[in-house]
Amino acid sequence: MLLPDRNTVDRLLRHYRAQERTVLARPCDLSARRRFEDTAYTLCVLMGERTAREAVQAAEHYVAGTRPASRPTLEGLPGA
């Protein structure tokens, strides 16, 4: 599996957190929200996750060099 550059992920994660604070401080600022959503989308793509929450968690673990908790798999389920 090809992994993203750790420094790029770290920089993007810090950028995401800064934009998150901006959106919380100014919830009606549509351009700030749009930038925040664009950054969240980029994190999702880089980390291979579907939601921003999952992408942020994966990025934090990746930057820290720790392994995230294992995700449930479809193995063992009926019809899988």
Side-chain angles (χ1 to χ4, degrees):
M1 173 192 247
L2 189 60
L3 297 173
D5 177 57
R6 196 175 306 269
N7 292 327
T8 301
V9 173
D10 182 45
R11 183 175 39 82
L12 190 62
L13 189 56
R14 284 185 279 118
H15 191 63
Y16 174 88
R17 293 295 187 198
Q19 289 178 336
E20 183 178 44
R21 287 188 297 273
T22 300
V23 168
L24 289 172
R26 297 188 319 240
C28 294
D29 185 344
L30 295 180
S31 66
R33 179 168 294 281
R34 195 171 302 116
R35 286 189 304 272
F36 175 65
E37 290 172 356
D38 287 346
T39 303
Y41 175 79
T42 303
L43 260 177
C44 287
V45 171
L46 276 178
M47 300 313 299
E49 299 293 345
R50 292 181 143 203
T51 68
R53 174 184 232 155
E54 291 171 347
V56 167
Q57 286 178 332
E60 288 171 342
H61 287 288
Y62 181 64
V63 168
T66 60
R67 295 181 64 117
S70 62
R71 289 192 227 165
T73 63
L74 295 178
E75 292 179 26
L77 292 178

